[in-house]
C-alpha cells in the first residue's frame, strides 16, 4: 500500500469517526439487547423488592378556618367592643404558628412521642417477605409495639440530658426486665415505676409488658427538637387558595390511626391556644375591674354615711334653682371624668402616654376639670351649709354612678367572655381512610424497569464507544491498511455441537460441510492459491502460510485446520504445524496428542520424522506443539528451525503454521520470515479494532508484510449492518 493511499484511508477513518452514525448506534443497541434486558429485569426486581421493603404510607387531612376577628364581642354592642382591642390574624402566620413548639410540645408530651420503640430483630428479608412491619403505637397511656413474640408496652421513660437520643436494649427477665446500653445495665419489675442512676444521669421508667423468649426491643428517648423536626417533616400546613383564610393540614405516617390521632391532637392544641389568646384581653380587663369594684363600693358607702349624718344634723335644705343646675352639671362632669379615667386606665395597659388616644383623653379630662373648677368657684358663693349639702350630695351621687357603671360593665364583660371562641374554627377533623398513598407499586415497578433499561442502554452505548470491536470489513481495511481477504460466517450447527460437547472433531468437513462457513474457507483457499508466487521464499515447491491473530480466542486454530483440510482436497501434500509451543490446542482438532512435536525437536536431539505424524485425513501430516520449552522465541531464532523449514519444503506442497498471537509473543514475527503469506485472523464483534491495528503495526515495524485479514465468526441477522458480507452456499444447505 502506498503512502498516498494510507493517508487517504486515514483521512476517511478520521472523517467517519467525527460523524455520528445513528444507524450504527441503533444496531449497537439491538446487538446489546441481552444486556439491556438483563438490567431491565434487574431494575424490575429491585423495584419489586423495594416496594415490599418500604412500609405503606397513609395520609390524614384536616381543615381550619381563620376569621379576621372574634364575633362574640361585636354582638354585645360598640361600648364593650371599645374596651377590648381587636387583633387581626393572617393564615400564613397561623400556619407557621401551628408548626411551632408551642403547639407541638403539648401533643408530644400527651402522646409520649419522644419515646421511640423498635424491633431490631426485623431485618431487610423479613420486611420484604412480610410486605410490611409493625410500628410503635403512641397513646396517652403510653407506647406499645407488637412483635412476633408478644407486645412491648412502656408508659413512662424519662432520662437526663446525657441519655437523650441514646439507644437502650430492653428484654424480659425472670424477675421483670433488663434495661442496658453500652455502659449501663439496670434491672426492674414490670408495672412498677423505677428510677435508676447511670453513668450519664437519671432514668425513670415504667415497663408494662415485654415479648417472651428474650426478644429484645430497642428503646430511645428522643430530644424535643428531634421529635419536633420529625413531626414537621411529615406535617404540611398550607393556606388553601389565596386569601381564603382556610388552612389545610395534612400528615403522613406508616399507621393510619396513629397519624390521624397525632394530627387531631395538633388541631385541638392549636385551637385551644387560639381560644386562650382570644380571651386574653377580656380576662385582663375583668381582673382590673375586680380590683376596683370593692374600692368603689367602700367609697360609696362612706360618702352615703357622711351625707346621711349631715342631713340628720341639719335637716333637709332647699337649694335654689341655680344651685340645682350647677349641682347637676357638676355631677355630669364628674361622671364623664370617671368614664374617661376608666378608659385611660384600660388604654394605658396597651399603649404609652404618648399614644394619640391617650393624649386625646387627657385633653378631654383637662377641659372637664376646668369647667368643674369654674362651677366649684360659683358654688363657693353659696351659704356654707348649702355648700356642704351640695358637696356631700354630689360626692354620694358621683360615687353611686361610678360604682353602678363599673358593675354594669363588669357583668357585660363576663357575658362577652363566655361567648368568645377565638378566631380559629375547626372545619374538618382528620378521619381514617386506610388508603395508602405510597408506595405506588405499579409506578415503582414501571420506573424501575425503565431505569434498568436506561442503565443497560447506557452501558451498551458506553461499551460500544470505548471498545470499538471489529464489525465492518471496510472500516477495518481503512484503519489497518490491510485488505480483508475472507469473511468466515459462524456455523450454527458447529456452535450447537460445541455447547453440547458432542463434537470431538471440529473440522467443518466432518460436521457441517454444506454450510456457508465451509464455502468461505474454500474461497479463502482460492484467494491464497492465486495470490501466492510460483516459487516460495524458502524452497522451490512448498508454499508456506503463517496464520496468527492479534490476541487469543480469535479462532486461528479453527481457520488453520480447516484451511489445511480444503488444501488437501487438491491432492496436495499438506503439513500443518502447531507452532504455539505455550498454549497450542491444535491437536484437539485432529483428535491427537500434543506429544513429540515442535518443542521436542527444537529443544532435544530428535529426528524430524519422529515429530511429524500422519492424520486420519489423506494428504495431511501434523506436527504438534510438543513439550513446553523455557525459551520458545530463542529456539525459533536458531539454525535448527531454519534447517527444519528447508527440509520440510522438499516434501510438502503446502505448509500451514499456526503461530501464537502477535500481542502475546514474538514467535509469529520470527516465523513470518519463512512464510509466503502472512494472515491475521480476527474475530467479529469481539476483537478490538485498535488491537488489530496495533498488532499489524508491530509486524510492519519488524519489516513483515501482513498479506490479508481473515474476519472469523461473522454473524448474520437483521441486527448486523454488515450482513451483506456473507457468501451464499451453492447447493444443498439443509
Amino acid at each position: 500500500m502506498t503512502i498516498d493511499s494510507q493517508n487517504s484511508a486515514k483521512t476517511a477513518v478520521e472523517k467517519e469517526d467525527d460523524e455520528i452514525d445513528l444507524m450504527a448506534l441503533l444496531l449497537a443497541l439491538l446487538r446489546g439487547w441481552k444486556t439491556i434486558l438483563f438490567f431491565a429485569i434487574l431494575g424490575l426486581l429491585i423495584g419489586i423488592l423495594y416496594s415490599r421493603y418500604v412500609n405503606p404510607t397513609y395520609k390524614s387531612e384536616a381543615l381550619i378556618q381563620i376569621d379576621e376577628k372574634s364575633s362574640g364581642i361585636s354582638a354585645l354592642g360598640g361600648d364593650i367592643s371599645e374596651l377590648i382591642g381587636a387583633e387581626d390574624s393572617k393564615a400564613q402566620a397561623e400556619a407557621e404558628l401551628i408548626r411551632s413548639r408551642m403547639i407541638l410540645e403539648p401533643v408530644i408530651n400527651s402522646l409520649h412521642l419522644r419515646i421511640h420503640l423498635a424491633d431490631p430483630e426485623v431485618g431487610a428479608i423479613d420486611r420484604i417477605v412480610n410486605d410490611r412491619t409493625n410500628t410503635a403505637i403512641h397513646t396517652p397511656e403510653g407506647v406499645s409495639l407488637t412483635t412476633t413474640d408478644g407486645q412491648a408496652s412502656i408508659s413512662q421513660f424519662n432520662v437526663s440530658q446525657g441519655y437523650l437520643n441514646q439507644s437502650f436494649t430492653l428484654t424480659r427477665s425472670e424477675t421483670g426486665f433488663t434495661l442496658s446500653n453500652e455502659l449501663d445495665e439496670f434491672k426492674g419489675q414490670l408495672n412498677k415505676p423505677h428510677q435508676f442512676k447511670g453513668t450519664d444521669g437519671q432514668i425513670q421508667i415504667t415497663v408494662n409488658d415485654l415479648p417472651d423468649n428474650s426478644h429484645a426491643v430497642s428503646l430511645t428517648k428522643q430530644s424535643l427538637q428531634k421529635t419536633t423536626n420529625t413531626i414537621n417533616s411529615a406535617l404540611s400546613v398550607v393556606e388553601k387558595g389565596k386569601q381564603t383564610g382556610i388552612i389545610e393540614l395534612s400528615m403522613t405516617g406508616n399507621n393510619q390511626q396513629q397519624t390521624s390521632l397525632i394530627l387531631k391532637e395538633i388541631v385541638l392544641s392549636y385551637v385551644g391556644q387560639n381560644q386562650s389568646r382570644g380571651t386574653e384581653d377580656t380576662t385582663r380587663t375583668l381582673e382590673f375591674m375586680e380590683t376596683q369594684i370593692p374600692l368603689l363600693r367602700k367609697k360609696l358607702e362612706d360618702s352615703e354615711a357622711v351625707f346621711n349624718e349631715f342631713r340628720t344634723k341639719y335637716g333637709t335644705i332647699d337649694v335654689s334653682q341655680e344651685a340645682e343646675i350647677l349641682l347637676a352639671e357638676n355631677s355630669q362632669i364628674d361622671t364623664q371624668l370617671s368614664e374617661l379615667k376608666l378608659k385611660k386606665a384600660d388604654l394605658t395597659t396597651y399603649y404609652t402616654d404618648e399614644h394619640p388616644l391617650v393624649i386625646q383623653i387627657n385633653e378631654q379630662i383637662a377641659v372637664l376639670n376646668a369647667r368643674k373648677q369654674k362651677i366649684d368657684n360659683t358654688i363657693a358663693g353659696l351659704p356654707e351649709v348649702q355648700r356642704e349639702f351640695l358637696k356631700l350630695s354630689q360626692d354620694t351621687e358621683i360615687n353611686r354612678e361610678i360604682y353602678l357603671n363599673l358593675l354594669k360593665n363588669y357583668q357585660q364583660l363576663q357575658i362577652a367572655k363566655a361567648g368568645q371562641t377565638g378566631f380559629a374554627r375547626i372545619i374538618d377533623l382528620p378521619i381514617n381512610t386506610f388508603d395508602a398513598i405510597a408506595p405506588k407499586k405499579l409506578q415503582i415497578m414501571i420506573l424501575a424497569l425503565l431505569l434498568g433499561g436506561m442503565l443497560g442502554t447506557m452501558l451498551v452505548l458506553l461499551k460500544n464507544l470505548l471498545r470499538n470491536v471489529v464489525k465492518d470489513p471496510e472500516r477495518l481495511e481503512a484503519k489497518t491498511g490491510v485488505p480483508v481477504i475472507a469473511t468466515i460466517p459462524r456455523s450454527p450447527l458447529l456452535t450447537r455441537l460445541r455447547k453440547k460437547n458432542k463434537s470431538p472433531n471440529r473440522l467443518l468437513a466432518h460436521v457441517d460441510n454444506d454450510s456457508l462457513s465451509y464455502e468461505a474457507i474454500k474461497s479463502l483457499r482460492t484467494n491464497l492459491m492465486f495470490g501466492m508466487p510460483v516459487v516460495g521464499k524458502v524452497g522451490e515447491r512448498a508454499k508456506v502460510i503463517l496464520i496468527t491473530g492479534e490476541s487469543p480466542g480469535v479462532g486461528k486454530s479453527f481457520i488453520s485446520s480447516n484451511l489445511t483440510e480444503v488444501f488437501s482436497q487438491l491432492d496436495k501434500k499438506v503439513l500443518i504445524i502447531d507452532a504455539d509451543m505455550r498454549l497450542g490446542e491444535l491437536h484437539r482438532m485432529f483428535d491427537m496428542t500434543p506429544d513429540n512435536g515442535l518443542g521436542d525437536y527444537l529443544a532435544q536431539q530428535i529426528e524430524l520424522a519422529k515429530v511429524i505424524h500422519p492424520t486420519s485425513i489423506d494428504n495431511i501430516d501434523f506436527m504438534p506443539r510438543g513439550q513446553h520449552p523455557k525459551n520458545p522465541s530463542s529456539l525459533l531464532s536458531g539454525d535448527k528451525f531454519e534447517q527444519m523449514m528447508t527440509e520440510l519444503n522438499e516434501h510438502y506442497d503446502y505448509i500451514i503454521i499456526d503461530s501464537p498471537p502477535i500481542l502475546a509473543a514474538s514467535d509469529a514475527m520470527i516465523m513470518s520470515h519463512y512464510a509466503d503469506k502472512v494472515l491475521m485472523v480476527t474475530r467479529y464483534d469481539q476483537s478490538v479494532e485498535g488491537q488489530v491495528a496495533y498488532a499489524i503495526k508491530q509486524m510492519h515495524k519488524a519489516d513483515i508484510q501482513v498479506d490479508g485479514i481473515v474476519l472469523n465468526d461473522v454473524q448474520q441477522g437483521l441486527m448486523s449492518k454488515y450482513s451483506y458480507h456473507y457468501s451464499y452456499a451453492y447447493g444443498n444447505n439443509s
Side-chain angles (χ1 to χ4, degrees), residues 589-605:
M589 304 294 294
F590 298 98
D591 194 19
M592 301 176 69
T593 65
D595 302 328
N596 296 324
L598 178 62
D600 302 291
Y601 174 77
L602 296 178
Q604 302 176 12
Q605 297 296 330

PDB file of all heavy atoms in Angstrom, residues 589-605:
ATOM      1  N   MET A 589      -8.071 -30.624  17.273  1.00  0.00           N
ATOM      2  CA  MET A 589      -8.784 -30.602  16.002  1.00  0.00           C
ATOM      3  C   MET A 589      -8.660 -31.929  15.262  1.00  0.00           C
ATOM      4  O   MET A 589      -9.551 -32.323  14.507  1.00  0.00           O
ATOM      5  CB  MET A 589      -8.260 -29.463  15.120  1.00  0.00           C
ATOM      6  CG  MET A 589      -8.317 -28.087  15.749  1.00  0.00           C
ATOM      7  SD  MET A 589      -9.983 -27.498  16.035  1.00  0.00           S
ATOM      8  CE  MET A 589     -10.566 -27.327  14.364  1.00  0.00           C
ATOM      9  N   PHE A 590      -7.515 -32.625  15.448  1.00  0.00           N
ATOM     10  CA  PHE A 590      -7.262 -33.880  14.739  1.00  0.00           C
ATOM     11  C   PHE A 590      -7.352 -35.084  15.668  1.00  0.00           C
ATOM     12  O   PHE A 590      -6.951 -36.185  15.296  1.00  0.00           O
ATOM     13  CB  PHE A 590      -5.877 -33.826  14.080  1.00  0.00           C
ATOM     14  CG  PHE A 590      -5.757 -32.746  13.056  1.00  0.00           C
ATOM     15  CD1 PHE A 590      -5.163 -31.522  13.378  1.00  0.00           C
ATOM     16  CD2 PHE A 590      -6.244 -32.924  11.769  1.00  0.00           C
ATOM     17  CE1 PHE A 590      -5.043 -30.524  12.439  1.00  0.00           C
ATOM     18  CE2 PHE A 590      -6.125 -31.931  10.823  1.00  0.00           C
ATOM     19  CZ  PHE A 590      -5.529 -30.708  11.157  1.00  0.00           C
ATOM     20  N   ASP A 591      -7.838 -34.828  16.878  1.00  0.00           N
ATOM     21  CA  ASP A 591      -8.027 -35.902  17.854  1.00  0.00           C
ATOM     22  C   ASP A 591      -6.720 -36.659  18.093  1.00  0.00           C
ATOM     23  O   ASP A 591      -6.660 -37.893  18.011  1.00  0.00           O
ATOM     24  CB  ASP A 591      -9.123 -36.860  17.369  1.00  0.00           C
ATOM     25  CG  ASP A 591      -9.601 -37.781  18.488  1.00  0.00           C
ATOM     26  OD1 ASP A 591      -9.361 -37.447  19.673  1.00  0.00           O
ATOM     27  OD2 ASP A 591     -10.207 -38.824  18.184  1.00  0.00           O
ATOM     28  N   MET A 592      -5.662 -35.893  18.378  1.00  0.00           N
ATOM     29  CA  MET A 592      -4.344 -36.471  18.619  1.00  0.00           C
ATOM     30  C   MET A 592      -3.781 -35.915  19.927  1.00  0.00           C
ATOM     31  O   MET A 592      -4.406 -35.072  20.582  1.00  0.00           O
ATOM     32  CB  MET A 592      -3.407 -36.168  17.434  1.00  0.00           C
ATOM     33  CG  MET A 592      -3.920 -36.703  16.097  1.00  0.00           C
ATOM     34  SD  MET A 592      -2.877 -36.250  14.699  1.00  0.00           S
ATOM     35  CE  MET A 592      -1.424 -37.239  15.040  1.00  0.00           C
ATOM     36  N   THR A 593      -2.571 -36.362  20.276  1.00  0.00           N
ATOM     37  CA  THR A 593      -1.915 -35.885  21.494  1.00  0.00           C
ATOM     38  C   THR A 593      -0.876 -34.829  21.127  1.00  0.00           C
ATOM     39  O   THR A 593      -0.371 -34.808  20.001  1.00  0.00           O
ATOM     40  CB  THR A 593      -1.223 -37.036  22.236  1.00  0.00           C
ATOM     41  OG1 THR A 593      -0.166 -37.543  21.410  1.00  0.00           O
ATOM     42  CG2 THR A 593      -2.222 -38.145  22.554  1.00  0.00           C
ATOM     43  N   PRO A 594      -0.529 -33.947  22.078  1.00  0.00           N
ATOM     44  CA  PRO A 594       0.467 -32.915  21.779  1.00  0.00           C
ATOM     45  C   PRO A 594       1.909 -33.392  21.918  1.00  0.00           C
ATOM     46  O   PRO A 594       2.839 -32.600  21.756  1.00  0.00           O
ATOM     47  CB  PRO A 594       0.145 -31.833  22.824  1.00  0.00           C
ATOM     48  CG  PRO A 594      -0.392 -32.592  23.988  1.00  0.00           C
ATOM     49  CD  PRO A 594      -1.146 -33.767  23.415  1.00  0.00           C
ATOM     50  N   ASP A 595       2.138 -34.659  22.232  1.00  0.00           N
ATOM     51  CA  ASP A 595       3.493 -35.156  22.480  1.00  0.00           C
ATOM     52  C   ASP A 595       4.275 -35.295  21.172  1.00  0.00           C
ATOM     53  O   ASP A 595       3.699 -35.430  20.088  1.00  0.00           O
ATOM     54  CB  ASP A 595       3.428 -36.520  23.180  1.00  0.00           C
ATOM     55  CG  ASP A 595       2.654 -36.424  24.488  1.00  0.00           C
ATOM     56  OD1 ASP A 595       2.711 -35.340  25.131  1.00  0.00           O
ATOM     57  OD2 ASP A 595       1.957 -37.393  24.844  1.00  0.00           O
ATOM     58  N   ASN A 596       5.620 -35.284  21.343  1.00  0.00           N
ATOM     59  CA  ASN A 596       6.539 -35.459  20.217  1.00  0.00           C
ATOM     60  C   ASN A 596       6.229 -34.459  19.108  1.00  0.00           C
ATOM     61  O   ASN A 596       5.774 -34.812  18.021  1.00  0.00           O
ATOM     62  CB  ASN A 596       6.469 -36.888  19.659  1.00  0.00           C
ATOM     63  CG  ASN A 596       6.937 -37.912  20.678  1.00  0.00           C
ATOM     64  OD1 ASN A 596       7.867 -37.640  21.447  1.00  0.00           O
ATOM     65  ND2 ASN A 596       6.289 -39.064  20.693  1.00  0.00           N
ATOM     66  N   GLY A 597       6.506 -33.198  19.417  1.00  0.00           N
ATOM     67  CA  GLY A 597       6.195 -32.170  18.454  1.00  0.00           C
ATOM     68  C   GLY A 597       7.323 -31.186  18.275  1.00  0.00           C
ATOM     69  O   GLY A 597       8.514 -31.493  18.499  1.00  0.00           O
ATOM     70  N   LEU A 598       6.974 -29.953  17.893  1.00  0.00           N
ATOM     71  CA  LEU A 598       7.944 -28.929  17.549  1.00  0.00           C
ATOM     72  C   LEU A 598       8.850 -28.589  18.720  1.00  0.00           C
ATOM     73  O   LEU A 598      10.067 -28.444  18.550  1.00  0.00           O
ATOM     74  CB  LEU A 598       7.202 -27.668  17.068  1.00  0.00           C
ATOM     75  CG  LEU A 598       8.066 -26.469  16.707  1.00  0.00           C
ATOM     76  CD1 LEU A 598       9.003 -26.803  15.554  1.00  0.00           C
ATOM     77  CD2 LEU A 598       7.185 -25.262  16.361  1.00  0.00           C
ATOM     78  N   GLY A 599       8.307 -28.483  19.916  1.00  0.00           N
ATOM     79  CA  GLY A 599       9.122 -28.149  21.076  1.00  0.00           C
ATOM     80  C   GLY A 599      10.168 -29.201  21.357  1.00  0.00           C
ATOM     81  O   GLY A 599      11.306 -28.884  21.732  1.00  0.00           O
ATOM     82  N   ASP A 600       9.800 -30.479  21.178  1.00  0.00           N
ATOM     83  CA  ASP A 600      10.766 -31.553  21.409  1.00  0.00           C
ATOM     84  C   ASP A 600      11.872 -31.519  20.354  1.00  0.00           C
ATOM     85  O   ASP A 600      13.048 -31.738  20.658  1.00  0.00           O
ATOM     86  CB  ASP A 600      10.037 -32.907  21.352  1.00  0.00           C
ATOM     87  CG  ASP A 600       8.925 -32.981  22.382  1.00  0.00           C
ATOM     88  OD1 ASP A 600       9.219 -33.029  23.582  1.00  0.00           O
ATOM     89  OD2 ASP A 600       7.744 -32.948  21.968  1.00  0.00           O
ATOM     90  N   TYR A 601      11.519 -31.252  19.101  1.00  0.00           N
ATOM     91  CA  TYR A 601      12.512 -31.233  18.033  1.00  0.00           C
ATOM     92  C   TYR A 601      13.525 -30.107  18.245  1.00  0.00           C
ATOM     93  O   TYR A 601      14.730 -30.312  18.068  1.00  0.00           O
ATOM     94  CB  TYR A 601      11.820 -31.089  16.683  1.00  0.00           C
ATOM     95  CG  TYR A 601      12.776 -30.909  15.531  1.00  0.00           C
ATOM     96  CD1 TYR A 601      13.499 -31.992  15.004  1.00  0.00           C
ATOM     97  CD2 TYR A 601      12.988 -29.643  14.975  1.00  0.00           C
ATOM     98  CE1 TYR A 601      14.392 -31.821  13.963  1.00  0.00           C
ATOM     99  CE2 TYR A 601      13.877 -29.453  13.933  1.00  0.00           C
ATOM    100  CZ  TYR A 601      14.576 -30.554  13.428  1.00  0.00           C
ATOM    101  OH  TYR A 601      15.463 -30.379  12.401  1.00  0.00           O
ATOM    102  N   LEU A 602      13.037 -28.902  18.631  1.00  0.00           N
ATOM    103  CA  LEU A 602      13.943 -27.767  18.776  1.00  0.00           C
ATOM    104  C   LEU A 602      14.775 -27.846  20.047  1.00  0.00           C
ATOM    105  O   LEU A 602      15.907 -27.360  20.075  1.00  0.00           O
ATOM    106  CB  LEU A 602      13.140 -26.460  18.762  1.00  0.00           C
ATOM    107  CG  LEU A 602      12.389 -26.136  17.459  1.00  0.00           C
ATOM    108  CD1 LEU A 602      11.595 -24.850  17.618  1.00  0.00           C
ATOM    109  CD2 LEU A 602      13.373 -26.021  16.298  1.00  0.00           C
ATOM    110  N   ALA A 603      14.247 -28.456  21.088  1.00  0.00           N
ATOM    111  CA  ALA A 603      14.954 -28.455  22.378  1.00  0.00           C
ATOM    112  C   ALA A 603      15.792 -29.708  22.580  1.00  0.00           C
ATOM    113  O   ALA A 603      16.690 -29.712  23.429  1.00  0.00           O
ATOM    114  CB  ALA A 603      13.945 -28.319  23.523  1.00  0.00           C
ATOM    115  N   GLN A 604      15.518 -30.788  21.834  1.00  0.00           N
ATOM    116  CA  GLN A 604      16.221 -32.047  22.067  1.00  0.00           C
ATOM    117  C   GLN A 604      16.838 -32.545  20.751  1.00  0.00           C
ATOM    118  O   GLN A 604      16.497 -32.082  19.674  1.00  0.00           O
ATOM    119  CB  GLN A 604      15.247 -33.102  22.619  1.00  0.00           C
ATOM    120  CG  GLN A 604      14.562 -32.674  23.916  1.00  0.00           C
ATOM    121  CD  GLN A 604      13.538 -33.704  24.355  1.00  0.00           C
ATOM    122  OE1 GLN A 604      13.487 -34.816  23.824  1.00  0.00           O
ATOM    123  NE2 GLN A 604      12.725 -33.316  25.329  1.00  0.00           N
ATOM    124  N   GLN A 605      17.700 -33.524  20.896  1.00  0.00           N
ATOM    125  CA  GLN A 605      18.314 -34.155  19.731  1.00  0.00           C
ATOM    126  C   GLN A 605      17.396 -35.282  19.263  1.00  0.00           C
ATOM    127  O   GLN A 605      17.503 -36.428  19.669  1.00  0.00           O
ATOM    128  CB  GLN A 605      19.709 -34.707  20.100  1.00  0.00           C
ATOM    129  CG  GLN A 605      20.692 -33.648  20.516  1.00  0.00           C
ATOM    130  CD  GLN A 605      21.010 -32.690  19.375  1.00  0.00           C
ATOM    131  OE1 GLN A 605      20.984 -33.061  18.199  1.00  0.00           O
ATOM    132  NE2 GLN A 605      21.320 -31.444  19.732  1.00  0.00           N
TER     133      GLN A 605
END
